[in-house]
Amino acid sequence: MDFSTFLTNVTRRRKSSILRELAMRFIETKDAISLANGMPNTKTFPFVDISVTYKGGTKVKLVGEELSWSLQYGPSQGYLPLLKKMREFQEYWHKPIYKDWDVLFTSGSMDGCSKIFEMTLETGDPVMVQTPTYDGILNALAPLMPEFIEISQDRDGIIPVNIRKICEERRDSGKPMPKVLYTNPTGANPTGTVLTESRRREIYKLADTYNFLIVEDDPYCFIHFADKKPTTFLELDNKGRVIRLDSFSKILSAGLRLGVVTAHKEVIKKLTTHIEATNIHASSLSQVLLFKLLDVWDLEKIRQHFNDIQKFYHERRDIMLSLIEKHLTGLAEWNVPKGGMFVWLKVNKTKDVMELATTKCISRGIFLIPGHAFNYDRSKPEQHLRLCYSYATPQEIDKALSTLATLIREEIRK
C-alpha cells in the first residue's frame, strides 16, 4: 500500500459540517452580508478592552476588531492571522521539507494527542508507545482499547532495533502492522531522555519501511540542555508521515491552553472537522494574545526568551542532581536528564515503590509520582519514582530528598 492510500485509510472519514464550510467561505469573502450568522453579537459583551504587558515592558491593548475576535467564535483551525504567524514559526524552527503541510490550534497538545488517537485508531489497532510514558497519553489511549505495544528506552531514548524487531515479527506472522508510533523525543516525560539524531533518522526510515505514522509530541522541544536544538522528526519528514505536536504550556503559559498540530494538509482537514464537532476551536482570547506576542516580539527576543527558559531549567536540574547525590547516593540510581523537567529515579533494594510514594511520602508532606503511573499495565511492580525540579525551591528539594532518604532506609531495614 502506498503512503497516500495509507494516509487516507488510517484517518477516519468525517464530513465537515455545512454550517462551518459556509462560515469559512463567508470569512474569506470581502464585503459579504450574513443573514445566517448564529453567533452572539459582541456589542452585548461586557468588555471594553483587554490590556496585557509582556516581559520587557511591551504593552498591548485589545480594542475594536481585535477585541471582538478575542471574545467571539472563530475558525476551528485557528485565528487566521495566528495561523500565518505559526506557519512562519514552524518554517524557521523546524523547516518542513515537503510542501503539503499545515498547522492547526488545539486546546493544549494533550487535546491534540487525544484527537489524533481518536482519528487514527480503531478498537484493537496496534499502536507503539515509548515506555515509560506520560500517564495522560496512556489515559487517552485506554478508552480506544488498542493493542498496546511497548517500545523501551535507554539513556538515548527509544531503541530503534526494538521497533524493527516488532514490525518484522508481526509481518512474518501475518498480524496487523502498527499504524502509529507515539514518541516524546526531547526531555521525555518521565525519563528526561533526548532521542539522539541518529536514532531519529533510523526511526523515520523504519516508519517509511513499515508504513506507520509518527506522532511527535514535543512539548519540551525548547527545554533541552544541548548546545543546539535537536533535529525534529518534522525536519526529516519528506512525505507527511509525521504528525507533530507543539505546546506553549511550557514556554509561555500553561493556562493559555494552546497547542499546535503540524501535519499533512489531509490530516489537518480531518482534525479540523473533528474539532468542529467537539470543542469548536481553541480559546479565541488565548490565540489573539499569542498572536500579539509573536507580532511585537522579533525573532531575537523570542530566541532570548527560549534561552532564558533553558538556563532556568538547566540550573534547576543541576541543583536537583547535586542534592540527589548528597542524600540518595547508594540508595538509588538515576540518569542525568538531557532536557525537560524530570529525574527518573530507581530505588535500590526494593521491589515496589507504590506504598513508599502513595502512603509514606505523602504522610511526611512529600508529593512525588510512582513509576506505575507511566506504565500501561499499572499492576506490575515498579522501582522508579519521578521527581520534578520545575517548581520546588532548592530548600524544599533539599528537605524533601532528606526525608525521602530516611524513608528509603526504613524500607530497606524492613
mmCIF file of all heavy atoms in Angstrom, residues 202-233:
data_model
loop_
_atom_site.group_PDB
_atom_site.id
_atom_site.type_symbol
_atom_site.label_atom_id
_atom_site.label_comp_id
_atom_site.label_asym_id
_atom_site.label_seq_id
_atom_site.Cartn_x
_atom_site.Cartn_y
_atom_site.Cartn_z
ATOM 1 N N GLU A 202 16.994 6.877 12.009
ATOM 2 C CA GLU A 202 16.731 5.447 11.843
ATOM 3 C C GLU A 202 15.248 5.136 12.032
ATOM 4 O O GLU A 202 14.669 4.330 11.281
ATOM 5 C CB GLU A 202 17.568 4.652 12.847
ATOM 6 C CG GLU A 202 17.498 3.151 12.643
ATOM 7 C CD GLU A 202 18.426 2.377 13.567
ATOM 8 O OE1 GLU A 202 19.237 3.015 14.278
ATOM 9 O OE2 GLU A 202 18.321 1.134 13.582
ATOM 10 N N ILE A 203 14.621 5.774 13.014
ATOM 11 C CA ILE A 203 13.199 5.538 13.269
ATOM 12 C C ILE A 203 12.352 6.041 12.102
ATOM 13 O O ILE A 203 11.378 5.383 11.697
ATOM 14 C CB ILE A 203 12.780 6.209 14.586
ATOM 15 C CG1 ILE A 203 13.385 5.452 15.773
ATOM 16 C CG2 ILE A 203 11.251 6.269 14.724
ATOM 17 C CD1 ILE A 203 13.295 6.184 17.094
ATOM 18 N N TYR A 204 12.731 7.188 11.533
ATOM 19 C CA TYR A 204 11.960 7.671 10.376
ATOM 20 C C TYR A 204 12.071 6.692 9.206
ATOM 21 O O TYR A 204 11.081 6.428 8.504
ATOM 22 C CB TYR A 204 12.420 9.067 9.939
ATOM 23 C CG TYR A 204 11.514 9.602 8.849
ATOM 24 C CD1 TYR A 204 10.288 10.178 9.160
ATOM 25 C CD2 TYR A 204 11.858 9.469 7.510
ATOM 26 C CE1 TYR A 204 9.425 10.624 8.166
ATOM 27 C CE2 TYR A 204 11.005 9.916 6.501
ATOM 28 C CZ TYR A 204 9.788 10.487 6.849
ATOM 29 O OH TYR A 204 8.930 10.910 5.867
ATOM 30 N N LYS A 205 13.241 6.127 8.982
ATOM 31 C CA LYS A 205 13.408 5.124 7.918
ATOM 32 C C LYS A 205 12.546 3.895 8.193
ATOM 33 O O LYS A 205 11.961 3.311 7.270
ATOM 34 C CB LYS A 205 14.878 4.724 7.796
ATOM 35 C CG LYS A 205 15.774 5.795 7.193
ATOM 36 C CD LYS A 205 17.222 5.331 7.104
ATOM 37 C CE LYS A 205 18.115 6.414 6.522
ATOM 38 N NZ LYS A 205 19.547 5.987 6.476
ATOM 39 N N LEU A 206 12.451 3.501 9.460
ATOM 40 C CA LEU A 206 11.602 2.366 9.816
ATOM 41 C C LEU A 206 10.136 2.684 9.547
ATOM 42 O O LEU A 206 9.376 1.825 9.081
ATOM 43 C CB LEU A 206 11.799 2.008 11.290
ATOM 44 C CG LEU A 206 13.159 1.416 11.670
ATOM 45 C CD1 LEU A 206 13.285 1.285 13.188
ATOM 46 C CD2 LEU A 206 13.364 0.057 11.006
ATOM 47 N N ALA A 207 9.724 3.917 9.829
ATOM 48 C CA ALA A 207 8.346 4.328 9.549
ATOM 49 C C ALA A 207 8.053 4.237 8.057
ATOM 50 O O ALA A 207 6.960 3.825 7.640
ATOM 51 C CB ALA A 207 8.104 5.751 10.051
ATOM 52 N N ASP A 208 9.036 4.600 7.261
ATOM 53 C CA ASP A 208 8.889 4.519 5.808
ATOM 54 C C ASP A 208 8.839 3.063 5.355
ATOM 55 O O ASP A 208 8.041 2.695 4.489
ATOM 56 C CB ASP A 208 10.067 5.241 5.144
ATOM 57 C CG ASP A 208 9.655 5.993 3.897
ATOM 58 O OD1 ASP A 208 8.456 6.303 3.754
ATOM 59 O OD2 ASP A 208 10.534 6.264 3.060
ATOM 60 N N THR A 209 9.687 2.240 5.942
ATOM 61 C CA THR A 209 9.751 0.827 5.562
ATOM 62 C C THR A 209 8.481 0.082 5.936
ATOM 63 O O THR A 209 7.938 -0.697 5.138
ATOM 64 C CB THR A 209 10.962 0.152 6.235
ATOM 65 O OG1 THR A 209 12.157 0.804 5.831
ATOM 66 C CG2 THR A 209 11.032 -1.330 5.875
ATOM 67 N N TYR A 210 7.977 0.321 7.156
ATOM 68 C CA TYR A 210 6.835 -0.448 7.664
ATOM 69 C C TYR A 210 5.529 0.345 7.644
ATOM 70 O O TYR A 210 4.502 -0.137 8.132
ATOM 71 C CB TYR A 210 7.138 -0.939 9.085
ATOM 72 C CG TYR A 210 8.336 -1.859 9.136
ATOM 73 C CD1 TYR A 210 9.550 -1.426 9.662
ATOM 74 C CD2 TYR A 210 8.267 -3.155 8.624
ATOM 75 C CE1 TYR A 210 10.658 -2.263 9.689
ATOM 76 C CE2 TYR A 210 9.380 -3.987 8.646
ATOM 77 C CZ TYR A 210 10.568 -3.535 9.179
ATOM 78 O OH TYR A 210 11.668 -4.367 9.197
ATOM 79 N N ASN A 211 5.569 1.529 7.065
ATOM 80 C CA ASN A 211 4.366 2.310 6.758
ATOM 81 C C ASN A 211 3.520 2.629 7.993
ATOM 82 O O ASN A 211 2.336 2.315 8.066
ATOM 83 C CB ASN A 211 3.511 1.577 5.723
ATOM 84 C CG ASN A 211 2.757 2.548 4.821
ATOM 85 O OD1 ASN A 211 3.099 3.728 4.746
ATOM 86 N ND2 ASN A 211 1.755 2.058 4.144
ATOM 87 N N PHE A 212 4.130 3.293 8.981
ATOM 88 C CA PHE A 212 3.356 3.781 10.118
ATOM 89 C C PHE A 212 3.577 5.279 10.289
ATOM 90 O O PHE A 212 4.550 5.854 9.789
ATOM 91 C CB PHE A 212 3.684 3.022 11.418
ATOM 92 C CG PHE A 212 5.132 3.045 11.839
ATOM 93 C CD1 PHE A 212 5.672 4.132 12.506
ATOM 94 C CD2 PHE A 212 5.962 1.948 11.594
ATOM 95 C CE1 PHE A 212 7.004 4.149 12.914
ATOM 96 C CE2 PHE A 212 7.293 1.944 12.002
ATOM 97 C CZ PHE A 212 7.814 3.052 12.663
ATOM 98 N N LEU A 213 2.643 5.930 10.979
ATOM 99 C CA LEU A 213 2.737 7.351 11.280
ATOM 100 C C LEU A 213 3.555 7.552 12.548
ATOM 101 O O LEU A 213 3.554 6.706 13.437
ATOM 102 C CB LEU A 213 1.349 7.960 11.488
ATOM 103 C CG LEU A 213 0.389 7.952 10.298
ATOM 104 C CD1 LEU A 213 -0.988 8.444 10.759
ATOM 105 C CD2 LEU A 213 0.900 8.818 9.164
ATOM 106 N N ILE A 214 4.242 8.685 12.623
ATOM 107 C CA ILE A 214 4.959 9.070 13.836
ATOM 108 C C ILE A 214 4.230 10.252 14.465
ATOM 109 O O ILE A 214 4.105 11.312 13.848
ATOM 110 C CB ILE A 214 6.413 9.465 13.536
ATOM 111 C CG1 ILE A 214 7.199 8.286 12.957
ATOM 112 C CG2 ILE A 214 7.105 9.982 14.800
ATOM 113 C CD1 ILE A 214 8.599 8.652 12.490
ATOM 114 N N VAL A 215 3.722 10.053 15.683
ATOM 115 C CA VAL A 215 3.136 11.155 16.447
ATOM 116 C C VAL A 215 4.256 11.710 17.324
ATOM 117 O O VAL A 215 4.663 11.090 18.304
ATOM 118 C CB VAL A 215 1.941 10.684 17.298
ATOM 119 C CG1 VAL A 215 1.432 11.844 18.166
ATOM 120 C CG2 VAL A 215 0.833 10.160 16.400
ATOM 121 N N GLU A 216 4.756 12.878 16.930
ATOM 122 C CA GLU A 216 5.889 13.520 17.608
ATOM 123 C C GLU A 216 5.350 14.551 18.595
ATOM 124 O O GLU A 216 5.064 15.690 18.230
ATOM 125 C CB GLU A 216 6.801 14.189 16.567
ATOM 126 C CG GLU A 216 8.010 14.867 17.188
ATOM 127 C CD GLU A 216 8.896 15.564 16.157
ATOM 128 O OE1 GLU A 216 8.373 16.009 15.113
ATOM 129 O OE2 GLU A 216 10.105 15.666 16.409
ATOM 130 N N ASP A 217 5.216 14.131 19.837
ATOM 131 C CA ASP A 217 4.702 15.004 20.900
ATOM 132 C C ASP A 217 5.903 15.651 21.576
ATOM 133 O O ASP A 217 6.635 15.000 22.306
ATOM 134 C CB ASP A 217 3.890 14.160 21.886
ATOM 135 C CG ASP A 217 3.219 15.002 22.952
ATOM 136 O OD1 ASP A 217 3.133 16.228 22.785
ATOM 137 O OD2 ASP A 217 2.775 14.418 23.965
ATOM 138 N N ASP A 218 6.104 16.965 21.351
ATOM 139 C CA ASP A 218 7.381 17.590 21.699
ATOM 140 C C ASP A 218 7.212 18.856 22.547
ATOM 141 O O ASP A 218 7.729 19.926 22.195
ATOM 142 C CB ASP A 218 8.123 17.922 20.403
ATOM 143 C CG ASP A 218 9.636 17.872 20.553
ATOM 144 O OD1 ASP A 218 10.122 17.494 21.631
ATOM 145 O OD2 ASP A 218 10.337 18.209 19.580
ATOM 146 N N PRO A 219 6.524 18.766 23.699
ATOM 147 C CA PRO A 219 6.296 19.976 24.498
ATOM 148 C C PRO A 219 7.554 20.551 25.134
ATOM 149 O O PRO A 219 7.560 21.713 25.541
ATOM 150 C CB PRO A 219 5.311 19.507 25.574
ATOM 151 C CG PRO A 219 5.567 18.043 25.706
ATOM 152 C CD PRO A 219 5.911 17.586 24.316
ATOM 153 N N TYR A 220 8.623 19.732 25.236
ATOM 154 C CA TYR A 220 9.871 20.201 25.855
ATOM 155 C C TYR A 220 10.942 20.492 24.804
ATOM 156 O O TYR A 220 12.130 20.531 25.123
ATOM 157 C CB TYR A 220 10.380 19.156 26.858
ATOM 158 C CG TYR A 220 9.354 18.790 27.895
ATOM 159 C CD1 TYR A 220 8.609 17.623 27.779
ATOM 160 C CD2 TYR A 220 9.092 19.623 28.977
ATOM 161 C CE1 TYR A 220 7.639 17.292 28.721
ATOM 162 C CE2 TYR A 220 8.130 19.310 29.921
ATOM 163 C CZ TYR A 220 7.401 18.133 29.783
ATOM 164 O OH TYR A 220 6.440 17.816 30.709
ATOM 165 N N CYS A 221 10.499 20.716 23.570
ATOM 166 C CA CYS A 221 11.421 20.953 22.461
ATOM 167 C C CYS A 221 12.445 22.036 22.777
ATOM 168 O O CYS A 221 13.634 21.911 22.452
ATOM 169 C CB CYS A 221 10.621 21.330 21.217
ATOM 170 S SG CYS A 221 11.622 21.863 19.807
ATOM 171 N N PHE A 222 12.010 23.121 23.436
ATOM 172 C CA PHE A 222 12.901 24.240 23.730
ATOM 173 C C PHE A 222 13.475 24.169 25.148
ATOM 174 O O PHE A 222 14.113 25.113 25.598
ATOM 175 C CB PHE A 222 12.168 25.561 23.506
ATOM 176 C CG PHE A 222 11.777 25.786 22.066
ATOM 177 C CD1 PHE A 222 10.472 25.616 21.639
ATOM 178 C CD2 PHE A 222 12.737 26.133 21.121
ATOM 179 C CE1 PHE A 222 10.115 25.806 20.313
ATOM 180 C CE2 PHE A 222 12.398 26.324 19.789
ATOM 181 C CZ PHE A 222 11.086 26.158 19.380
ATOM 182 N N ILE A 223 13.225 23.041 25.832
ATOM 183 C CA ILE A 223 13.823 22.841 27.157
ATOM 184 C C ILE A 223 14.768 21.649 27.061
ATOM 185 O O ILE A 223 14.508 20.562 27.571
ATOM 186 C CB ILE A 223 12.744 22.617 28.239
ATOM 187 C CG1 ILE A 223 11.718 23.757 28.204
ATOM 188 C CG2 ILE A 223 13.383 22.541 29.619
ATOM 189 C CD1 ILE A 223 10.582 23.588 29.200
ATOM 190 N N HIS A 224 15.847 21.849 26.333
ATOM 191 C CA HIS A 224 16.897 20.843 26.213
ATOM 192 C C HIS A 224 18.190 21.465 26.723
ATOM 193 O O HIS A 224 18.316 22.685 26.802
ATOM 194 C CB HIS A 224 17.043 20.384 24.759
ATOM 195 C CG HIS A 224 17.475 21.497 23.841
ATOM 196 N ND1 HIS A 224 18.795 21.857 23.687
ATOM 197 C CD2 HIS A 224 16.766 22.344 23.043
ATOM 198 C CE1 HIS A 224 18.879 22.869 22.840
ATOM 199 N NE2 HIS A 224 17.660 23.195 22.443
ATOM 200 N N PHE A 225 19.162 20.611 27.049
ATOM 201 C CA PHE A 225 20.399 21.111 27.640
ATOM 202 C C PHE A 225 21.600 20.823 26.745
ATOM 203 O O PHE A 225 22.730 20.689 27.220
ATOM 204 C CB PHE A 225 20.586 20.501 29.032
ATOM 205 C CG PHE A 225 19.357 20.628 29.903
ATOM 206 C CD1 PHE A 225 18.859 19.550 30.609
ATOM 207 C CD2 PHE A 225 18.676 21.840 29.978
ATOM 208 C CE1 PHE A 225 17.734 19.671 31.393
ATOM 209 C CE2 PHE A 225 17.529 21.974 30.755
ATOM 210 C CZ PHE A 225 17.053 20.885 31.466
ATOM 211 N N ALA A 226 21.354 20.760 25.443
ATOM 212 C CA ALA A 226 22.416 20.549 24.456
ATOM 213 C C ALA A 226 22.841 21.894 23.884
ATOM 214 O O ALA A 226 22.194 22.922 24.087
ATOM 215 C CB ALA A 226 21.936 19.618 23.347
ATOM 216 N N ASP A 227 23.922 21.891 23.131
ATOM 217 C CA ASP A 227 24.426 23.133 22.525
ATOM 218 C C ASP A 227 23.551 23.595 21.371
ATOM 219 O O ASP A 227 23.513 24.778 21.053
ATOM 220 C CB ASP A 227 25.864 22.931 22.039
ATOM 221 C CG ASP A 227 26.839 22.726 23.187
ATOM 222 O OD1 ASP A 227 26.544 23.222 24.296
ATOM 223 O OD2 ASP A 227 27.868 22.060 22.985
ATOM 224 N N LYS A 228 22.854 22.667 20.717
ATOM 225 C CA LYS A 228 21.984 23.023 19.597
ATOM 226 C C LYS A 228 20.663 22.279 19.727
ATOM 227 O O LYS A 228 20.584 21.226 20.347
ATOM 228 C CB LYS A 228 22.642 22.681 18.248
ATOM 229 C CG LYS A 228 23.033 21.230 18.086
ATOM 230 C CD LYS A 228 23.577 20.938 16.687
ATOM 231 C CE LYS A 228 22.458 20.856 15.679
ATOM 232 N NZ LYS A 228 22.896 20.348 14.363
ATOM 233 N N LYS A 229 19.627 22.885 19.159
ATOM 234 C CA LYS A 229 18.296 22.289 19.214
ATOM 235 C C LYS A 229 18.299 20.939 18.499
ATOM 236 O O LYS A 229 18.800 20.829 17.375
ATOM 237 C CB LYS A 229 17.275 23.218 18.549
ATOM 238 C CG LYS A 229 15.831 22.716 18.624
ATOM 239 C CD LYS A 229 14.884 23.648 17.903
ATOM 240 C CE LYS A 229 14.989 23.517 16.398
ATOM 241 N NZ LYS A 229 14.533 22.197 15.892
ATOM 242 N N PRO A 230 17.733 19.897 19.131
ATOM 243 C CA PRO A 230 17.684 18.597 18.460
ATOM 244 C C PRO A 230 16.896 18.665 17.156
ATOM 245 O O PRO A 230 15.909 19.407 17.044
ATOM 246 C CB PRO A 230 16.971 17.700 19.483
ATOM 247 C CG PRO A 230 17.183 18.379 20.797
ATOM 248 C CD PRO A 230 17.203 19.847 20.496
ATOM 249 N N THR A 231 17.347 17.912 16.167
ATOM 250 C CA THR A 231 16.608 17.783 14.919
ATOM 251 C C THR A 231 15.272 17.107 15.207
ATOM 252 O O THR A 231 15.214 16.094 15.903
ATOM 253 C CB THR A 231 17.398 16.937 13.908
ATOM 254 O OG1 THR A 231 18.643 17.577 13.639
ATOM 255 C CG2 THR A 231 16.627 16.761 12.606
ATOM 256 N N THR A 232 14.192 17.668 14.693
ATOM 257 C CA THR A 232 12.868 17.082 14.939
ATOM 258 C C THR A 232 12.506 16.102 13.829
ATOM 259 O O THR A 232 13.061 16.145 12.729
ATOM 260 C CB THR A 232 11.801 18.182 15.018
ATOM 261 O OG1 THR A 232 11.737 18.877 13.754
ATOM 262 C CG2 THR A 232 12.136 19.189 16.116
ATOM 263 N N PHE A 233 11.549 15.232 14.129
ATOM 264 C CA PHE A 233 11.059 14.314 13.104
ATOM 265 C C PHE A 233 10.433 15.089 11.948
ATOM 266 O O PHE A 233 10.499 14.659 10.790
ATOM 267 C CB PHE A 233 10.031 13.344 13.695
ATOM 268 C CG PHE A 233 10.643 12.188 14.442
ATOM 269 C CD1 PHE A 233 10.573 12.122 15.817
ATOM 270 C CD2 PHE A 233 11.303 11.170 13.761
ATOM 271 C CE1 PHE A 233 11.129 11.058 16.514
ATOM 272 C CE2 PHE A 233 11.863 10.104 14.436
ATOM 273 C CZ PHE A 233 11.781 10.040 15.826
#
